[in-house]
């Protein structure tokens, strides 16, 4: 039996909390469509899992080099009333920097799951949030 969309979303959060990018990437369909409508530091629409990896790897490496740690999470996930493959999530991560600074970062995602894999995501977040990470060192 395939996992529910909520379970897939929760697996993604678990991977992010553990900084397990390999397991996170296993959740995505090969033909993934990932949208970041407000992003200024990456493409706003990424098509294909391999393209997603190419775009995100430098951003992940930059966060790792800055010592960014995910230290907290809170969120709500809602099943779409008219589409069983879609969930909407409003959540926040608490991020800690090596110098002791912390910040809570809010996100909203619309996620479609097909065949147990993440087929598409539209993710909303403040486009200036990466400045917090890069101003630490």
């Amino acid at each position: 039996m395939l996992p529910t969309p909520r379970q897939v979303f929760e697996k993604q959060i678990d991977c992010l909390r553990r900084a397990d990018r390999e397991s996170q990437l296993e959740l995505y369909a090969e033909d993934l469509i990932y949208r970041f409508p407000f992003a200024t530091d990456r493409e706003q629409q990424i098509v294909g899992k391999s393209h997603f990896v190419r775009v995100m790897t430098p951003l992940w490496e930059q966060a790792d080099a800055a010592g960014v740690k995910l230290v907290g999470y809170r969120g709500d996930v809602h099943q779409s009333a008219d589409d069983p493959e879609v969930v909407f999530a409003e959540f926040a991560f608490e991020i800690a920097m090596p110098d002791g600074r912390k910040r809570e970062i809010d996100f909203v995602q619309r996620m479609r799951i097909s065949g147990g894999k993440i087929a598409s995501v539209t993710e909303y977040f403040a486009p200036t949030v990466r400045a917090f990470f890069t101003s630490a060192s």
Side-chain angles (χ1 to χ4, degrees):
M1 185 168 176
L2 293 175
T4 67
R6 177 187 290 270
Q7 289 169 329
V8 174
F9 174 83
E10 290 170 353
K11 282 182 188 178
Q12 174 193 236
I13 295 297
D14 180 61
C15 291
L16 291 166
R17 293 180 81 175
R18 293 181 293 108
D20 183 353
R21 293 193 180 108
E22 185 176 323
S23 295
Q24 177 189 354
L25 291 172
E26 289 174 10
L27 298 172
Y28 298 124
E30 291 300 320
D31 58 351
L32 171 72
I33 299 172
Y34 212 115
R35 296 176 188 93
F36 299 99
F38 297 146
T40 57
D41 61 348
R42 69 196 81 174
E43 297 172 45
Q44 292 185 340
Q45 179 168 296
I46 301 169
V47 178
K49 179 176 169 178
S50 61
H51 189 194
F52 179 81
V53 171
R54 282 192 307 275
V55 170
M56 295 305 295
T57 296
L59 298 174
W60 292 334
E61 289 172 349
Q62 183 183 33
D64 290 346
V68 174
K69 299 291 182 207
L70 195 160
V71 296
Y73 164 79
R74 66 173 173 77
D76 293 308
V77 182
H78 305 280
Q79 181 69 46
S80 171
D82 61 352
D83 188 336
E85 293 187 334
V86 172
V87 291
F88 296 90
E90 180 179 6
F91 60 99
F93 289 132
E94 183 179 19
I95 304 298
M97 300 301 297
D99 63 6
R101 291 180 302 144
K102 290 184 178 180
R103 179 166 179 188
E104 190 169 274
I105 302 167
D106 296 311
F107 296 86
V108 173
Q109 283 187 347
R110 178 195 183 274
M111 181 180 289
R112 175 177 298 283
I113 310 301
S114 181
K117 298 282 186 180
I118 299 171
S120 67
V121 178
T122 303
E123 180 173 300
Y124 299 91
F125 62 94
T128 57
V129 76
R130 288 194 63 80
F132 176 74
F133 306 141
T134 57
S135 66
S137 9

